[in-house]
Amino acid sequence: FLSLVAEFCCGFFVILILGNFWFLAVLYLLWLYLDWGTPCAGGRRSQWVRSWTVWKYFREYFPIHLIKTSELNPNHNYLLGFHPHGVLVAGAFGNFCTDPPFKNLFPGLTPYLHIMPIWFGCPFFREYIMCAGMVSASKESVSHVLNNEGGGHASIIVIGGAEESLNAHPGSLTLNILKRKGFIKMALKHGAHLVPVFSFGENELFKQVANPKGSWLRNVQEKLQKIMGFALPLFHARGVFQYSFGLIPYRQPIHTVVGSPIPVKQNLNPTTEEIDQLHALYLQKLKKLFEEHKSNYGIPAHKSLIFE
């Protein structure tokens, strides 16, 4: 959905340039230059945009549910690790970029969903995603959110990133996380409590062309990802009036379970050992969260998370 909106915004900008409204395009480019740093400085959220009625229907389509397992004290800042990425990241968008799900369950906390910086270079589209509460996934941006002295800020980071979307097959429980420790370092530097989040059903929304590791398709996808910064999974789902083929996601329920916070003491210069120790604890808590809730959402007892 976001990709379609981005394409529309880019197309509209091209029309302005090629048409008789090129001066508007010039004015917007000037605005873009002056406003370039905003995605790294907390964005520009709009309660009006986050409360659009269309988001209610978006959440009900799957449907999307947010499950609270523990209180999050608004006097602290939090870094929520979201898993898995899936193809659409529908659970992250529906729960953290639209109101009222998060707002009702965690009053006093303001969620910021961090996404790839490349999206904020898209004309007009950047204005929309900032209004929804999305900000850059750069270190500068995460630091800005977690530096709030009064607490009450929650950074949401999709830990597996674009690489993990290539594993987004129905039934897949593989997470790209073993080498991803930057979020741990950020949590330590800012004393932000860590919260594991697992979104059951995220990988069930699309069917992806088989791309096992080592296959020619996977090799091409991984090379393109390194060049462009984002992955290109080949996926399909249902159409508007039929269920055999199309790009509309399947109607599969998504249950995004927010775990208990892991207290983190601020450490401006954490050692490698300290980062590894907290990372191991985070993996332990994430696995525990999954095991405690998997039976509620149709995951067979013999299946467990696979960390890569």
Side-chain angles (χ1 to χ4, degrees):
F1 176 79
L2 289 179
S3 296
L4 291 176
V5 176
E7 290 175 9
F8 173 81
C9 290
C10 289
F12 178 70
F13 185 71
V14 170
I15 291 173
L16 288 181
I17 295 176
L18 299 179
N20 295 324
F21 302 98
W22 59 267
F23 62 94
L24 292 178
V26 172
L27 287 175
Y28 183 79
L29 287 175
L30 177 60
W31 161 255
L32 193 62
Y33 172 77
L34 296 173
D35 194 57
W36 191 255
T38 301
C40 293
R44 189 167 42 247
R45 71 177 52 232
S46 165
Q47 191 60 42
W48 176 66
V49 172
R50 290 174 60 89
S51 301
W52 281 351
T53 303
V54 67
W55 303 136
K56 175 178 179 289
Y57 295 115
F58 174 81
R59 293 191 302 268
E60 291 178 349
Y61 171 79
F62 298 96
I64 297 174
H65 303 280
L66 185 64
I67 292 88
K68 174 182 178 180
T69 64
S70 178
E71 294 292 339
L72 297 183
N73 190 330
N75 293 325
H76 298 295
N77 292 317
Y78 297 89
L79 195 160
L80 280 62
F82 184 93
H83 313 271
H85 185 288
V87 172
L88 188 63
V89 205
F93 178 80
N95 286 312
F96 305 121
C97 295
T98 72
D99 285 330
F102 190 86
K103 183 179 180 180
N104 286 350
L105 288 180
F106 302 100
L109 282 180
T110 302
Y112 295 83
L113 179 61
H114 296 271
I115 64 175
M116 291 186 299
I118 190 173
W119 290 112
F120 296 97
C122 180
F124 301 114
F125 179 67
R126 69 187 296 274
E127 318 303 335
Y128 157 68
I129 57 179
M130 280 196 287
C131 285
M134 286 178 257
V135 291
S136 173
S138 66
K139 292 180 181 179
E140 178 188 357
S141 177
V142 177
S143 290
H144 181 89
V145 173
L146 298 181
N147 264 337
N148 191 41
E149 293 183 1
H153 281 189
S155 281
I156 298 96
I157 301 178
V158 184
I159 305 299
E163 182 182 359
E164 193 172 89
S165 67
L166 299 178
N167 290 327
H169 296 272
S172 174
L173 295 172
T174 301
L175 303 180
N176 293 71
I177 192 173
L178 291 181
K179 296 181 180 179
R180 296 178 181 265
K181 301 179 181 180
F183 74 104
I184 298 291
K185 189 174 182 179
M186 294 300 291
L188 281 166
K189 281 191 170 184
H190 297 283
H193 295 352
L194 280 167
V195 182
V197 178
F198 195 87
S199 195
F200 292 89
E202 200 75 44
N203 283 339
E204 318 305 315
L205 307 184
F206 296 92
K207 292 180 180 178
Q208 190 172 167
V209 175
N211 60 343
K213 288 196 172 182
S215 65
W216 69 269
L217 176 57
R218 186 59 167 258
N219 290 336
V220 170
Q221 289 174 321
E222 290 176 346
K223 288 179 181 178
L224 287 175
Q225 183 215 332
K226 290 179 180 178
I227 295 172
M228 299 184 296
F230 56 90
L232 292 173
L234 299 180
F235 60 90
H236 68 89
R238 53 162 289 187
V240 178
F241 301 110
Q242 45 77 30
Y243 291 83
S244 57
F245 189 82
L247 295 179
I248 299 175
Y250 293 115
R251 296 192 69 177
Q252 296 290 336
I254 298 172
H255 295 87
T256 303
V257 184
V258 180
S260 301
I262 303 169
V264 177
K265 185 177 180 180
Q266 187 173 24
N267 184 346
L268 296 177
N269 295 293
T271 64
T272 301
E273 291 74 21
E274 289 169 330
I275 293 173
D276 289 344
Q277 183 179 12
L278 184 55
H279 186 262
L281 177 60
Y282 178 86
L283 294 183
Q284 178 185 331
K285 295 295 185 181
L286 174 59
K287 186 172 183 179
K288 181 182 178 183
L289 178 71
F290 174 81
E291 292 295 331
E292 288 178 346
H293 294 272
K294 67 180 184 182
S295 61
N296 297 331
Y297 307 116
I299 307 295
H302 67 277
K303 284 203 167 189
S304 297
L305 293 179
I306 300 172
F307 296 143
E308 288 187 347

